[in-house]
Structure formats: C-alpha cells, structure tokens
Amino acid sequence: ADILSRGGLDSSEWRLNPQMVEQIWERLGRVRVNLFATQAMTHCPLWFSLEMGGGPLGVDGFAHPWLQELLYAFPPLQLLPLTLERIHQEEARVLLIVPQWPRQLWFATLAQMISADPWPLPLRRDLLTQAEGLLWLLASFGTCFQ
C-alpha cells in the first residue's frame, strides 16, 4: 500500500546493495556524506535529501556547500550532468556510482575527471533495489568512479 499511496515507484530511487557499498568502502575508503538520498536509500550517517522533509544536511545537495571530504553520490540519471559540473567546479572528491554507458554525452566528461581506475560493479540480481528491497533491477548497471 505504501508504494501505491506515493503514486507508484520513483525511477530515480534506486538503492545500491549494502554489501556492495561495504566492498566499495573497503576498497576506496569509508564515506560519511551521501549527496543524493532519502532516509530509506542512504548508506551514510549524513545526507542531502532528494525529497521534502530533509536529511541531516538539508534538502537538495546542489543548494548547499559540499563538505571537503570524500563524498558518496549515486545521483538520479537526470542529475548526472549537473553533478559532474559541480564536482568539477568544487574539485570535490566523490565516489560516484553511474551506469557504464560510454555513448552518453556525459561519459566523456566523466572519463576526463576520474582520478583512479573505475571499478565495474559485479552483476548480481540484487545490485539495485527499490521499495525497501522489495523490487530488484535485473541488469548490469554500472561502475564506481573516484
């Protein structure tokens, strides 16, 4: 009933599997701040909320200064170009989760910005979930960039 009462699923509200996030933390460093999250989606103690009601750092990560530390971002696809622009402007250090889509216009920009080799995320049926883990995205999704 909760999904229906919210008007259905939000195509931007995918959550990366917590075990995968732990592997990313072990490999690239633990992160405290999620730039784009909801309380149900976040993997970090601090986040900028994607919805009204806010997170501990406020609503809309673009409307606030970013902390000068390693940040985590799994932005909705429609926000990816703006996210890359902001990372570049602030020279921010970000663990960025994005699809491995080299034909997209933003991918060339991303390739010029990375500071470490990309880490392709393994294919697993529960890599991305929605609705508090009730729905899975059955696809090879992406890569972690730093």
Side-chain angles (χ1 to χ4, degrees), residues 6 10 13 15 34 36-44 47-51 54-55:
R6 290 177 30 204
D10 182 343
E13 253 188 52
R15 184 172 195 258
N34 190 328
F36 308 99
T38 62
Q39 187 167 3
M41 292 171 36
T42 192
H43 295 287
C44 302
W47 71 91
F48 292 104
S49 182
L50 287 169
E51 58 190 21

Side-chain angles (χ1 to χ4, degrees), residues 5 10-11 17 33 40 53-54 60 62 86 99 101 106 111 117 125 137-138:
S5 68
D10 182 343
S11 63
N17 181 293
V33 177
D60 184 5
F62 294 119
R86 179 76 179 263
W101 293 347
W106 50 261
D117 289 335
R125 72 180 187 145
L137 178 62
L138 299 174

Side-chain angles (χ1 to χ4, degrees), residues 39-111:
Q39 187 167 3
M41 292 171 36
T42 192
H43 295 287
C44 302
L46 302 173
W47 71 91
F48 292 104
S49 182
L50 287 169
E51 58 190 21
M52 297 311 291
L57 299 176
V59 177
D60 184 5
F62 294 119
H64 301 276
W66 289 357
L67 301 174
Q68 296 299 309
E69 60 184 76
L70 184 61
L71 306 168
Y72 174 81
F74 183 8
L77 290 176
Q78 68 270 21
L79 297 180
L80 193 49
L82 188 57
T83 302
L84 293 175
E85 183 180 325
R86 179 76 179 263
I87 290 169
H88 178 71
Q89 288 173 347
E90 295 206 14
E91 298 180 358
R93 292 181 48 237
V94 178
L95 295 180
L96 182 63
I97 308 298
V98 298
Q100 181 73 26
W101 293 347
R103 292 192 174 134
Q104 293 296 312
L105 294 176
W106 50 261
F107 201 85
T109 302
L110 175 63

